[in-house]
Amino acid sequence: MTALCKKIILLGPPGAGKGTHACMLSKRLDIPHISTGDILREAVNKGNRLGLVARGFMNRGELVPDNIMAEIITNRLRKKDVREKGFMLDGFPRTQAQAEALERTLRGGADIVLYFKTSADVCISRLSGRRICKVCGANYHIKNIPPKKEGVCDECKGPLYQRQDDKEDTIRKRLRVYNKQTSSLINYFRRQGILKEVNGDIDLKPLHRIIVKLLM
Ligand code: AMP
């Protein structure tokens, strides 16, 4: 399936479902999914220089500094897959400075910004119940998407773990950081005329169908 919109930004609070939707959309529309959170977590796991800098910010639920993030995204957007197929940005930009850096890199704007309007209660419940496979990265939820066997991945039998920043205190901090540093981007993109709001509280499949229509 080919989408009309190929430069896509997913915006919304942590727990809005951006990552889950980005995975599904990326497979269906063949557009690279770029999650800055995933890029940073990979660096932390490797223990490289970026990972060592990012780890503290991430564990505290704070944002990694803008200059580091701008460099990561500029390098990623230069790659061949993005030049050929576009991108689906999940978790970037998160500040005004990042949005401006992105525009400089793109020499213009994105085609569409999908804003996942999601209530805090839903975000907290999704994140606090989230479990991830250590081996293949598959996502579960202890109530909504439980694995067949507790603590074990259905796909690859790897062990499931809870992200350090998915503990309740850190979730609340991440939501505060979102409200303070990221939520103003809603109006920023609305003024550019590229913002489309969707209801992040609703179930995965109906929302996926709505989003696919918006991108066609
Ligand atoms: P996420 O997986 O998108 O929830 O991101 C996890 C954590 O990575 C965030 O809480 C931040 O510490 C960091 N992070 C991810 N993307 C960004 C970004 N665009 N700017 C700053 N920090 C980020």
Side-chain angles (χ1 to χ4, degrees), residues 113-117 186 190 195-199 210 214:
V113 177
L114 291 171
Y115 163 47
F116 289 66
K117 188 174 183 190
I186 300 165
R190 190 174 276 137
L195 191 93
K196 296 274 180 211
E197 185 175 305
V198 296
N199 181 355
I210 292 170
L214 287 174

Side-chain angles (χ1 to χ4, degrees), residues 43 62 74 121 179:
E62 292 166 8
T74 306
D121 285 349
N179 287 329

Side-chain angles (χ1 to χ4, degrees), residues 96 100 184-195:
Q96 179 80 28
E100 287 165 8
S184 61
L185 292 179
I186 300 165
N187 275 333
Y188 179 77
F189 289 124
R190 190 174 276 137
R191 280 196 300 274
Q192 292 187 359
I194 54 173
L195 191 93

Side-chain angles (χ1 to χ4, degrees), residues 36-37 40-41 58 62 64 69 91-92 94 98 163 174:
T36 43
L40 292 170
R41 276 184 291 279
M58 295 173 80
E62 292 166 8
V64 174
M69 297 313 301
F92 188 96
R94 267 173 147 104
Q98 290 180 14
R163 261 168 60 173
R174 287 160 67 200

Side-chain angles (χ1 to χ4, degrees), residues 113-128:
V113 177
L114 291 171
Y115 163 47
F116 289 66
K117 188 174 183 190
T118 316
S119 62
D121 285 349
V122 170
C123 294
I124 292 168
S125 130
R126 281 187 189 147
L127 294 177
S128 57

